[in-house]
Each structure stands twice: as C-alpha cells, then as structure tokens.
C-alpha cells in the first residue's frame, strides 16, 4: 500500500454493509487513494474480503477510525446509540461526522459526541449502487461551508447531492429514500400487465425497463415538466388517453400522495 498523499484528507467508514461498500468503492473510483481510507468492520471474513478487493486498511475497532478527518457512519439506526457510545469519546472538535442512518437527527448524534464535532445528516438511496444515487444532506449545529462541501463531495462519488434543511429530511426519505421501491413496484405491475396482455415475460420486461430508462433520460436531458412530456404522448381519443383515464378513475395520483405521506410519517416516528 502506498503512503498517503501529503494533504489528502483521511476518511473512515464505519459499517461495511452494502451502502458502506458502495461508498468505499465510489470514493476510490472518484480518485481517493486507498491509503487515505480506513474501514471499521468486526466480521473477520468480511474484513479480509474488503482489504483484498480495495486495498484499504480494515480494523475491528473505532479508535483508529477516530484519527480520520471525516468519519462516515453507515450503520443501522438501531445500532447508532451503541456505536456513538464507543466512538464519541475518541472524537475531537472540528472533525466531520457524516451519518447515513435513516431517521437519526443531528441533535441525537451531537448529544453523544464532544462539543464542536461537525455533524452532517445524509439520506441516500440504493441507486448509489450503480453511481446513480440521490442524496440529501443537512448540517448540524457546528457545520461550516467546508464541512458541507466535504460531505457533498463524498456523496457525489456515487450520484447527485442536494442540500436541505433538516426539517425536510422526513419528506426526502419519503420521496427519494424510499422512492426506488415505488418505481420498482410500478415496473413490476407493468410487466405483469404485459404478461396478462399476452406478451412473453422476457419481452414485457425488456419493453418496460427500456421505456423507464428512456423516459427518465428524456426528463433529465430535455428539462421539460413531466406534464408536458406526458401530453406529447397523449393523442386526443387515443390509447394513452384511455389508459390515463383509468389511472385517474382509480385515483393513482391520490394514492401516491397518501403513500408518500405515510412514508414521511413513519420516518418521523423512527426519528423520535
């Protein structure tokens, strides 16, 4: 392993599950040296796997991670209190602590670490696995612009990033955090409909997935409002108009609103 580049920030990743590894691999692809990264992973077999795959140092305790400039907490919400109990005393003012645990507030984290530690809350989503993630970040009490910019840079290694006030994070969770599941649900439903209409499943799947990819690309590249693009497909009295009428009759738009409100409310409950 080569020596850490002079001036390169040191980053520790605590929690090497799917999202932890996703961030680790994204940081390396984005140009961070393996020497500047350390991973905390207690499972010996998993630790060996990560060390071999990425050439990073993997340790089983948080003490060494605390020497990093930035610490990424990629642990389950229910494990956060225990991790902070162990990690908190080793941290120092000015360090950046980035939490990716759903529902955990910056206040919860700040109450368990030394005063002056900069805390950033992040809501990521699973398309980060293919570098198409959507993350929203919110600053805690002691964050300055440099801390937010560093958190932004970290998450940009696996997708796009927006900044939001922390009181909007429950809504973000409902929209983009849980959002991939809604998309997969719609895709699954369209494939099943295709089979019902007589198409082979493989053909129905290809048609639906490419339609989704193409439509998303149009939204991104044209910058048009989705209503405008929808109207371009909808001829008066045509097939699309007939289908959309059924969606309105079944109150699909209202169902989405109710579903996202339920997700937001559940996020609030988990955070409390």
């Amino acid at each position: 392993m080569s020596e850490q580049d002079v001036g390169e920030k040191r980053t520790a990743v605590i929690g090497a599950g799917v999202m932890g590894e996703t961030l680790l691999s994204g940081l390396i692809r984005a140009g961070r040296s393996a020497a500047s990264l350390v991973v905390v992973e207690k499972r010996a077999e998993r630790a060996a796997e990560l060390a071999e795959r990425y050439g990073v140092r993997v340790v089983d305790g948080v003490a060494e991670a605390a020497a990093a400039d930035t610490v990424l907490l990629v642990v389950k919400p229910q494990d956060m209190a225990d991790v902070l109990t162990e990690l908190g005393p080793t941290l120092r003012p000015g360090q950046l602590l980035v939490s990716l645990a759903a529902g955990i507030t910056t206040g919860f984290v700040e109450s368990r670490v030394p005063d002056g530690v900069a805390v950033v809350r992040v809501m990521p989503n699973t398309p980060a696995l293919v570098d198409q993630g959507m993350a929203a970040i919110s600053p805690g009490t002691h964050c300055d612009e440099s801390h937010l910019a560093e958190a932004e840079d970290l998450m940009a290694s696996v997708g796009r990033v927006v900044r939001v006030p922390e009181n909007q994070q429950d809504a973000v969770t409902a929209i983009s955090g849980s959002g991939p599941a809604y998309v997969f649900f719609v895709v699954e439903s369209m494939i099943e409909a295709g089979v019902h209409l007589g198409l082979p499943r493989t053909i129905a799947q290809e048609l639906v997935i490419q339609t989704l990819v193409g439509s998303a690309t149009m939204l991104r590249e044209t910058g048009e409002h989705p209503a405008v693009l929808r109207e371009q497909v909808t001829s008066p009295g045509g097939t699309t108009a007939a289908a959309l009428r059924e969606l309105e009759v079944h109150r699909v738009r209202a169902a989405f609103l109710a579903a996202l409100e339920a997700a937001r409310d559940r996020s609030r409950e988990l955070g409390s």
Side-chain angles (χ1 to χ4, degrees):
M1 184 182 297
S2 62
E3 293 185 4
Q4 181 184 330
D5 294 336
V6 176
E8 187 174 20
K9 290 185 176 180
R10 297 165 299 172
T11 302
V13 180
I14 297 179
V18 173
M19 186 59 71
E21 183 178 359
T22 295
L23 283 170
L24 176 63
S25 62
L27 290 170
I28 290 174
R29 288 194 304 276
R32 306 272 179 132
S33 72
S36 72
L37 301 167
V38 63
V39 178
V40 176
E41 174 54 57
K42 295 184 183 297
R43 295 169 295 168
E45 184 178 334
R46 176 66 168 159
E49 178 187 352
L50 293 168
E52 180 179 356
R53 184 174 299 165
Y54 300 106
V56 296
R57 191 160 57 97
V58 185
V59 298
D60 63 0
V62 299
E64 287 188 72
D69 301 291
T70 300
V71 179
L72 284 163
L73 284 171
V74 200
V75 299
K76 295 176 181 178
Q78 59 267 34
D79 296 334
M80 183 64 86
D82 289 341
V83 171
L84 288 174
T85 297
E86 184 181 359
L87 177 67
T90 70
L91 298 177
R92 62 190 185 278
Q95 266 183 303
L96 173 59
L97 190 58
V98 181
S99 168
L100 281 80
I104 300 295
T105 65
T106 57
F108 179 96
V109 177
E110 287 172 345
S111 69
R112 290 162 173 79
V113 300
D115 192 44
V117 172
V119 178
V120 173
R121 177 180 173 181
V122 178
M123 184 67 239
N125 69 6
T126 55
L129 292 166
V130 291
D131 290 345
Q132 293 294 329
M134 184 69 251
I137 65 174
S138 302
T141 306
H142 304 290
C143 277
D144 59 25
E145 175 59 31
S146 66
H147 295 126
L148 270 176
E150 174 64 11
E152 213 163 36
D153 190 53
L154 290 167
M155 299 310 303
S157 68
V158 291
R160 292 175 178 254
V161 188
V162 294
R163 299 182 185 186
V164 301
E166 188 167 11
N167 62 11
Q168 295 179 1
Q169 280 284 8
D170 293 315
V172 168
T173 300
I175 297 291
S176 60
S178 300
Y182 317 147
V183 175
F184 299 146
F185 184 84
V186 169
V187 167
E188 180 187 6
S189 299
M190 290 178 68
I191 291 171
E192 292 303 321
V195 173
H196 176 74
L197 295 174
L199 291 171
R201 183 170 296 276
T202 55
I203 296 297
Q205 182 166 313
E206 179 71 13
L207 291 170
V208 173
I209 292 174
Q210 182 55 32
T211 298
L212 173 71
V213 172
S215 301
T217 303
M218 284 182 71
L219 283 164
R220 172 70 72 198
E221 294 189 358
T222 66
E224 291 280 9
H225 192 282
V228 173
L229 296 177
R230 174 177 55 78
E231 289 169 0
Q232 290 175 358
V233 187
T234 311
S235 304
T239 57
T240 308
L244 291 173
R245 179 180 178 277
E246 288 300 314
L247 292 176
E248 293 291 1
V249 166
H250 289 281
R251 304 183 73 243
V252 171
R253 196 184 301 262
F256 267 103
L257 175 57
L260 269 63
E261 286 178 335
R264 179 206 58 197
D265 294 346
R266 182 58 180 152
S267 179
R268 285 177 178 167
E269 291 172 7
L270 292 172
S272 62

